Amino acid sequence: MMSGEDVPVAPAGERCPRCGNELPGHAAFCPSCGNATPTGAFGERAEPAPASDSAAQSATRELLVAALGQDYLLGELLGRGGFAEVYAAFDRRLKRRVAVKVLREELRGDAAIRERFRREAEVVARLRHPHVVPIYAVGEEQELAYFVMPLLEGQTLAAAL
């Protein structure tokens, strides 16, 4: 795990447009709130997340908490990609930190995308390699597709680059 001194920090004044927290250098998403940042990982300008995005994130959280039940304690949003959002969570039964990858709200209504997401979990679950993150669990409820995997500690790809 890195200390705060090891994390590159954006120039003074580079703050998340949503939460106001200071951004790591060239972060594509704010590590605090998950909002797309003004500068992406490779220096490109990202579009700020729409204001309605926080409402969608809140709805996703509520559905995910219900789907995970009492076995998991859902934590903060860690990041977002083209197809999914990843949340930190705690597996209460096995007493370990995990990550929960959930299909983004705007894609849930598309059966082909949900099938692709499910197949991704199946393929990864069959792989056995030290450099492939295993899948612990998979679920689907009310078009909410998710899978649970280990939470890996360390720096982001943006920080490594």
Side-chain angles (χ1 to χ4, degrees), residues 129-144:
H129 190 277
H131 296 202
V132 175
V133 177
I135 299 228
Y136 293 153
V138 72
E140 193 166 347
E141 190 172 314
Q142 298 179 10
E143 295 185 344
L144 180 77

Side-chain angles (χ1 to χ4, degrees), residues 42-55:
F42 298 103
E44 77 279 8
R45 301 302 290 178
E47 293 297 316
S52 62
D53 192 48
S54 61

Side-chain angles (χ1 to χ4, degrees), residues 32-109:
S32 299
C33 72
N35 187 50
T37 63
T39 303
F42 298 103
E44 77 279 8
R45 301 302 290 178
E47 293 297 316
S52 62
D53 192 48
S54 61
Q57 184 180 334
S58 178
T60 296
R61 281 189 69 83
E62 288 177 26
L63 287 171
L64 193 51
V65 165
L68 293 171
Q70 294 299 312
D71 292 342
Y72 297 94
L73 176 63
L74 191 63
E76 73 275 9
L77 176 69
L78 297 175
R80 304 162 89 190
F83 286 94
E85 298 174 342
V86 178
Y87 289 85
F90 184 75
D91 182 339
R92 290 177 168 152
R93 288 186 176 189
L94 298 175
K95 309 218 178 333
R96 61 185 175 185
R97 292 188 54 162
V98 296
V100 180
K101 184 175 183 178
V102 61
L103 193 59
R104 290 178 68 134
E105 180 187 33
E106 61 270 18
L107 302 173
R108 289 185 207 139

Side-chain angles (χ1 to χ4, degrees), residues 11-37:
E14 196 69 63
R15 297 198 170 273
C16 173
R18 179 185 290 158
C19 71
N21 285 335
E22 192 166 9
L23 298 170
H26 302 297
F29 296 97
C30 175
S32 299
C33 72
N35 187 50
T37 63

